[in-house]
Amino acid sequence: LTNALNAYGRRMKLLKEDEKVSGEDCREGLTCIISVKLTEAQFEGQTKAKLGNSEIRTLVNSIVSEKLEEFLEENPAVGRAILDKALTAARAREAARKARESVRRKTGLESGQMPDKLRDCNERDPSLTEIYIVEGDSAGGSAKMGRDSKIQAILPLWGKMLNVEKARIDKIYGNDKLTPVVTALGCGLGEEFDVSKLRYHKVFIMADADVDGSHICTLLLTFFFRYMRPLIEGGYVYIAQPPLFKLQKGKQVRYAYNEPEMSQISAEMGQGTKVSRYKGLGEMNPEQLWETTMDPEHRVIVQITIEDAMAADEAFTILMGDKVEPRKEFIERNAQYANLDV
């Protein structure tokens, strides 16, 4: 396949003189079924997953190359489509390689090439450290001032994140929202992922308790699930849950993380209790953010399991993918649970 496509591309002037596609590039997205019948078949290993008769490989290569060349000559539109797809894969692979080189770090704890917005912690033992990936610069500023700088690092995210559902791997590496996350964690991604280089053994996603915050959480969980799965499998990823309500009566202050809890606490505190709803993390001052969401003694956190990530990935595929019908069915099925502010 590779030789036939490269020869065809040069003959049709679709490939430059020094340009070629690899077998991996050609096979991406293509399925080929070959049926071979022979006597005295020999297999490698007990699983019989690979044929050991070397003469068959030569025979199949010869026949496939000859017939494929004939097919490409007779179907130039199909040939051009296959070659264009292979070239796109080749260019993406090369772009990903260059992008990997640009974000790769020499050691797991080296901090000289860290993202500008990262406020690192002082502790150098990864098992003792944690990083908060925070939605927005405003909340990031409060988190930086309210954190325990010995063990807690802060990385603010801002702007619209990349839709990893439709992005090629080179776009993942080059994305200015995801690259800081990859660089800060220090363990690479995809095939190069090495959990032993992880710089923090607790990775918190901290976002507003609203639709946008849920979107960011889903995006990050899907990204981790697809490109850094050992993070989730190893139990390193958490969701930090900020409170939704602040209840105050005189000098007494308590926090609630949902409406039923708010109602219960309000009843306990009695008449005269003032209830405030937080619209976002940015409304909390550093002290409030620390005591409600970041203090290891009192914070409410959820450890993400592989099942959680799979569910997020499935929902993300339905809602952000190209297929309309699953999205329509999902919306119709869940419309009764939606809380729309229009």
Side-chain angles (χ1 to χ4, degrees):
L1 175 62
T2 308
N3 293 336
L5 270 180
N6 281 318
Y8 173 78
R10 291 195 176 87
R11 189 164 58 253
M12 302 298 291
K13 301 188 183 310
L14 299 174
L15 286 175
K16 299 176 183 177
E17 194 63 34
D18 60 342
E19 196 172 29
K20 64 179 181 179
V21 293
S22 69
E24 180 184 351
D25 302 326
C26 298
R27 290 188 295 270
E28 183 179 302
L30 295 178
T31 301
C32 177
I33 299 174
I34 299 176
S35 177
V36 178
K37 296 181 180 180
L38 72 159
T39 59
E40 298 181 5
Q42 300 172 5
F43 296 95
E44 295 182 7
Q46 295 296 319
T47 59
K48 297 185 178 180
K50 186 176 180 181
L51 190 65
N53 300 68
S54 58
E55 69 277 7
I56 296 301
R57 180 185 182 90
T58 304
L59 180 63
V60 171
N61 274 343
S62 174
I63 294 175
V64 170
S65 295
E66 179 184 343
K67 296 301 179 183
L68 184 59
E69 287 181 9
E70 292 178 8
F71 176 82
L72 294 174
E73 291 289 347
E74 295 170 0
N75 301 271
V78 176
R80 182 183 292 272
I82 295 174
L83 191 61
D84 284 346
K85 194 173 191 313
L87 276 172
T88 300
R91 289 163 184 161
R93 176 171 49 80
E94 179 62 17
R97 183 191 66 78
K98 291 179 179 178
R100 278 198 304 270
E101 292 296 330
S102 70
V103 300
R104 183 179 291 136
R105 301 174 57 216
K106 294 179 182 178
T107 67
L109 292 177
E110 183 181 5
S111 59
Q113 300 176 355
M114 289 292 96
D116 292 338
K117 288 183 175 288
L118 174 69
R119 291 299 175 265
D120 215 344
C121 53
N122 300 322
E123 177 61 56
R124 283 293 172 242
D125 181 353
S127 66
L128 302 176
T129 63
E130 47 193 51
I131 183 171
Y132 280 80
I133 302 173
V134 186
E135 173 195 3
D137 280 338
S138 177
S142 294
K144 289 172 189 175
M145 289 186 284
R147 66 175 174 148
D148 179 353
S149 60
K150 180 180 179 181
I151 62 169
Q152 292 177 330
I154 308 296
L155 179 64
L157 295 181
W158 67 102
K160 186 178 180 181
M161 289 190 63
L162 178 72
N163 179 357
V164 298
E165 177 67 25
K166 299 179 180 179
R168 298 189 69 96
I169 183 66
D170 58 306
K171 299 297 183 183
I172 300 293
Y173 278 107
N175 182 259
D176 62 349
K177 305 298 186 296
L178 293 176
T179 296
V181 176
V182 177
T183 307
L185 296 183
C187 48
L189 72 162
E191 295 179 356
E192 294 189 340
F193 184 90
D194 183 355
V195 74
S196 68
K197 295 182 179 179
L198 180 61
R199 301 180 70 243
Y200 315 92
H201 281 196
K202 283 188 173 67
V203 180
F204 289 98
I205 301 172
M206 187 162 70
D208 292 341
D210 58 13
V211 173
D212 288 338
S214 297
H215 185 208
I216 287 175
C217 283
T218 304
L219 273 166
L220 279 172
L221 287 180
T222 302
F223 172 61
F224 289 151
F225 177 71
R226 296 188 182 185
Y227 299 100
M228 296 179 162
R229 188 174 300 194
L231 272 186
I232 297 172
E233 293 172 337
Y236 296 107
V237 181
Y238 299 80
I239 300 292
Q241 293 191 313
L244 278 178
F245 301 96
K246 175 185 177 182
L247 296 91
Q248 185 170 3
K249 183 179 180 181
K251 293 183 178 181
Q252 184 184 12
V253 177
R254 296 177 66 181
Y255 298 94
Y257 292 82
N258 52 56
E259 292 195 9
E261 186 179 13
M262 180 270 291
S263 299
Q264 178 183 343
I265 294 175
S266 180
E268 292 174 0
M269 295 178 70
Q271 289 185 347
T273 301
K274 182 181 178 182
V275 179
S276 304
R277 180 178 179 126
Y278 288 114
K279 293 181 180 179
L281 294 168
E283 289 190 351
M284 294 187 192
N285 61 41
E287 292 76 16
Q288 290 173 335
L289 194 58
W290 162 257
E291 65 184 24
T292 63
T293 316
M294 301 179 71
D295 182 358
E297 296 295 326
H298 302 101
R299 66 192 178 191
V300 176
I301 60 176
V302 176
Q303 187 176 42
I304 298 299
T305 66
I306 196 68
E307 289 78 16
D308 297 327
M310 290 174 68
D313 182 74
E314 181 182 7
F316 195 75
T317 299
I318 292 172
L319 296 174
M320 304 300 288
D322 293 322
K323 295 182 179 179
V324 176
E325 280 305 314
R327 180 159 53 249
K328 182 180 178 182
E329 292 175 5
F330 180 90
I331 293 172
E332 290 175 347
R333 189 170 61 249
N334 293 278
Q336 59 180 313
Y337 306 112
N339 181 14
L340 300 179
D341 183 10
V342 296

